[in-house]
Amino acid sequence: TLEEKAGLTEELANDFLSNMPSYFSNKRLIFFLGLLTVTQALLLPLFIGLSLMFFNLQMSYFNMFAVYWISYVLGRFSFLPSGLGIKDVTMGGLLLGLGLNGLAVVKIVVLFRVFTFIPYLVVGGFLFLYYGHRYTYKRLFKRDISEDFNQNP
């Protein structure tokens, strides 16, 4: 079965569930993760400002915050990786609605994607290749010795 191949057993699941409360009992960790989440939520809209700076355009932080998070939420509803397409169109539409030039909006959205999507793609690609390669070779070259004994010459 799939569970056996993946190494999932009922004992392992019960052990995880019994240890679950300990994950939430570390108050410092919860505080740190909460602080990190709030910091990320406040800093990510600045990537729009960074994209705007390349074209000598300015926007208030509130507008950057609104454009970023509205497009982010709609992109998440699309269930596509990084909201690809939906997030871009939404961001472009909102920037146009705020009075920016159409050509500048296209450039800003593309530059924003370069700043936010490409680094994740490169790092994730390398990790996928590294761990996928290690895991695949482990599975391919791991042979069950009992198969050798069960074969007739």
Side-chain angles (χ1 to χ4, degrees):
T1 66
L2 181 61
E3 293 86 8
E4 292 170 351
K5 287 182 181 179
L8 298 175
T9 62
E10 188 175 338
E11 180 183 326
L12 185 65
N14 288 334
D15 184 47
F16 175 77
L17 290 174
S18 66
N19 288 327
M20 182 84 76
S22 68
Y23 296 130
F24 297 104
S25 65
N26 188 343
K27 303 283 188 243
R28 287 183 55 183
L29 178 64
I30 298 297
F31 175 76
F32 176 72
L33 291 176
L35 185 64
L36 189 63
T37 302
V38 169
T39 303
Q40 181 182 7
L42 294 175
L43 291 180
L44 283 174
L46 295 178
F47 280 106
I48 294 175
L50 182 62
S51 300
L52 289 167
M53 285 175 31
F54 278 89
F55 305 104
N56 293 326
L57 298 170
Q58 293 181 356
M59 184 182 292
S60 71
Y61 176 77
F62 176 76
N63 286 340
M64 287 187 288
F65 187 87
V67 167
Y68 178 82
W69 285 107
I70 290 170
S71 63
Y72 177 83
V73 168
L74 290 176
R76 293 300 290 175
F77 284 143
S78 71
F79 296 106
L80 294 172
S82 191
L84 201 56
I86 303 297
K87 185 175 184 178
D88 304 323
V89 170
T90 304
M91 185 178 293
L94 290 170
L95 290 172
L96 280 172
L98 290 171
L100 282 117
N101 180 355
L103 184 59
V105 166
V106 171
K107 292 177 184 177
I108 290 165
V109 171
V110 169
L111 194 56
F112 175 81
R113 267 300 172 191
V114 168
F115 288 144
T116 58
F117 188 65
I118 302 298
Y120 294 118
L121 191 62
V122 170
V123 171
F126 282 126
L127 290 173
F128 173 75
L129 290 174
Y130 176 73
Y131 285 110
H133 180 74
R134 279 184 50 196
Y135 181 73
T136 301
Y137 278 113
K138 245 188 231 183
R139 299 280 284 179
L140 284 177
F141 294 114
K142 182 182 173 184
R143 290 184 16 191
D144 189 10
I145 296 175
S146 64
E147 291 176 8
D148 293 336
F149 292 114
N150 291 336
Q151 292 178 353
N152 294 329

